Amino acid sequence: MMDNCTNLGYLLTLSAKLMKYHLMKQLDQENFTVQQWAVIKDLERLEGLGGAENNFMAVSIANRLDMDKPTISGIIKRLLEKGYIEKYPHSTDKRASILKLSAQTKEILPRLEELSDQTVSAAVVDFTEEEISQLTHLLFRMTKNLKEEE
Amino acid sequence: MMDNCTNLGYLLTLSAKLMKYHLMKQLDQENFTVQQWAVIKDLERLEGLGGAENNFMAVSIANRLDMDKPTISGIIKRLLEKGYIEKYPHSTDKRASILKLSAQTKEILPRLEELSDQTVSAAVVDFTEEEISQLTHLLFRMTKNLKEEE
DNA sequence: GAAAAGAAGTTAGTATACTAACTATATCTA
DNA sequence: TAGATATAGTTAGTATACTAACTTCTTTTC
């Protein structure tokens, strides 16, 4: 039982690392990192839903993507520098900013989506639909267990 | 299909990150990082097998743990600084060093093992033996697919 | 046996993940 | 309404993951 668990921890870490590395290689073609893509993807989803401006604050993005504030602060800084997102003042909170995707980014989004999908597809190339569902379900439960441990 | 794949990528990354964070918290009690523990664990396993001295070179450890040379170089440097490992000259290759666990580290190993096992156990607390085997198997296949993509 | 190619490890740089501490602003409490 | 507490975001520091380039040494080639 314990041997299996140790192997599980190692395989989880290794598979996530390999997946991230492959995705990094793909996104690098368009000058994005994996984390930058995750932020872009999150903003796209929220813009599609048309939610309140508070959803576009750095702290909200950080919460949704399970990131630390200094981490999201740095990522946003670099996305602003690259012109991939734009920053607007919050209507009532002077501390906060509202972040939006730039036109340039919206234009390239389908391409990034494609690159991302290719990576995951390559990882499960020989999986059945049921196996993919199973893996997703098991990972979700694991995530839930770990979050409850906090 | 594509939605499920996107969710899979996200869950894989998230679960690995949560697992690593929990392990980090545990190992921090003994002033180890997750990567340092992985290196220690790898050396312990090899010392147990009593293999050739080449197995204890930095490049060999890097290969076994799927790490880059600069990365392993930095980790080993910090482990040496902490006194957790010791460095000896290679018998024939002046470029290389042989790395061994210090007595201090060997003493604390059972404790680190326990902390590590606790983390993984917490993640699969409500899993059956079969589910753990299944998850391990699916992750292994995913890893294999991604490595073949290189 | 000398030159070319390859390998072990390090350095420099960028991006991130995290803790701790900070500034400025908002909210809560007595 | 003033002081206490909390929050949004940033800075500083450490550790890591990666690319590129470097030094030193070993192996291969002609």
Side-chain angles (χ1 to χ4, degrees):
Chain A
M1 161 54 160
M2 241 5 103
D3 278 353
N4 216 357
C5 282
T6 303
N7 205 36
L8 174 55
Y10 168 76
L11 281 173
L12 181 70
T13 302
L14 181 61
S15 56
K17 182 182 172 186
L18 289 171
M19 178 84 84
K20 190 173 172 179
Y21 180 79
H22 274 271
L23 188 50
M24 176 188 68
K25 282 302 194 184
Q26 297 274 47
L27 295 172
D28 198 35
Q29 298 172 38
E30 304 296 344
N31 194 25
F32 276 87
T33 69
V34 173
Q35 276 63 41
Q36 287 166 4
W37 165 235
V39 171
I40 295 300
K41 178 79 168 163
D42 181 65
L43 283 176
E44 182 212 10
R45 189 174 64 84
L46 266 292
E47 288 192 18
L49 292 172
E53 71 175 335
N54 278 19
N55 285 327
F56 299 90
M57 288 160 60
V59 67
S60 303
I61 298 171
N63 287 339
R64 290 194 297 269
L65 300 182
D66 207 67
M67 288 180 176
D68 296 294
K69 292 197 299 174
T71 300
I72 198 72
S73 183
I75 292 172
I76 285 172
K77 185 187 176 207
R78 288 179 284 276
L79 282 171
L80 287 167
E81 279 166 0
K82 286 176 171 178
Y84 290 152
I85 62 174
E86 287 153 6
K87 185 180 190 177
Y88 302 92
H90 194 282
S91 62
T92 60
D93 194 331
K94 283 191 177 63
R95 297 170 302 179
S97 293
I98 297 308
L99 303 161
K100 295 286 185 182
L101 296 180
S102 68
Q104 167 193 356
T105 300
K106 283 175 178 174
E107 192 173 313
I108 207 171
L109 259 168
R111 170 71 176 143
L112 301 179
E113 201 83 55
E114 186 188 325
L115 294 174
S116 176
D117 288 340
Q118 277 171 9
T119 302
V120 187
S121 293
V124 295
V125 68
D126 63 336
F127 283 47
T128 65
E129 281 294 327
E130 189 187 336
E131 284 173 329
I132 292 174
S133 287
Q134 217 159 31
L135 180 55
T136 302
H137 179 64
L138 291 168
L139 289 175
F140 175 77
R141 277 172 58 201
M142 196 182 241
T143 299
K144 184 164 155 287
N145 287 343
L146 289 166
K147 284 201 170 189
E148 278 167 13
E149 195 78 359
E150 280 167 354
Chain B
M1 162 56 157
M2 240 7 99
D3 277 355
N4 217 357
C5 282
T6 303
N7 206 35
L8 175 54
Y10 168 74
L11 281 173
L12 181 70
T13 301
L14 181 60
S15 57
K17 181 181 173 183
L18 289 172
M19 178 84 84
K20 187 173 175 181
Y21 181 79
H22 274 270
L23 188 50
M24 175 188 69
K25 281 302 194 186
Q26 296 274 47
L27 294 172
D28 197 36
Q29 297 173 41
E30 304 296 343
N31 194 26
F32 277 86
T33 69
V34 174
Q35 275 62 42
Q36 287 165 5
W37 166 234
V39 170
I40 295 300
K41 179 81 167 155
D42 181 65
L43 283 176
E44 182 212 9
R45 191 175 64 84
L46 266 292
E47 289 191 19
L49 293 171
E53 72 174 335
N54 278 18
N55 285 326
F56 299 91
M57 288 161 58
V59 67
S60 302
I61 300 170
N63 287 341
R64 288 194 298 269
L65 300 184
D66 207 67
M67 287 179 176
D68 296 294
K69 292 197 299 172
T71 301
I72 199 71
S73 183
I75 293 171
I76 285 173
K77 184 187 176 206
R78 287 180 285 276
L79 283 170
L80 288 166
E81 280 166 0
K82 287 178 173 177
Y84 291 151
I85 60 174
E86 287 154 5
K87 186 180 190 178
Y88 302 93
H90 194 280
S91 62
T92 59
D93 194 330
K94 284 192 178 61
R95 297 169 301 177
S97 293
I98 297 307
L99 305 162
K100 293 287 187 184
L101 297 180
S102 68
Q104 168 192 356
T105 301
K106 284 176 177 174
E107 192 173 314
I108 208 171
L109 259 168
R111 170 73 176 141
L112 300 179
E113 200 83 54
E114 187 189 326
L115 294 175
S116 176
D117 288 340
Q118 276 171 12
T119 303
V120 186
S121 292
V124 296
V125 68
D126 62 336
F127 282 47
T128 65
E129 281 295 325
E130 190 187 335
E131 285 174 328
I132 293 174
S133 287
Q134 220 159 29
L135 180 55
T136 303
H137 179 63
L138 291 169
L139 288 174
F140 176 76
R141 278 172 57 201
M142 197 182 239
T143 300
K144 185 164 155 287
N145 287 344
L146 288 166
K147 285 202 170 187
E148 277 166 13
E149 194 79 0
E150 279 167 355

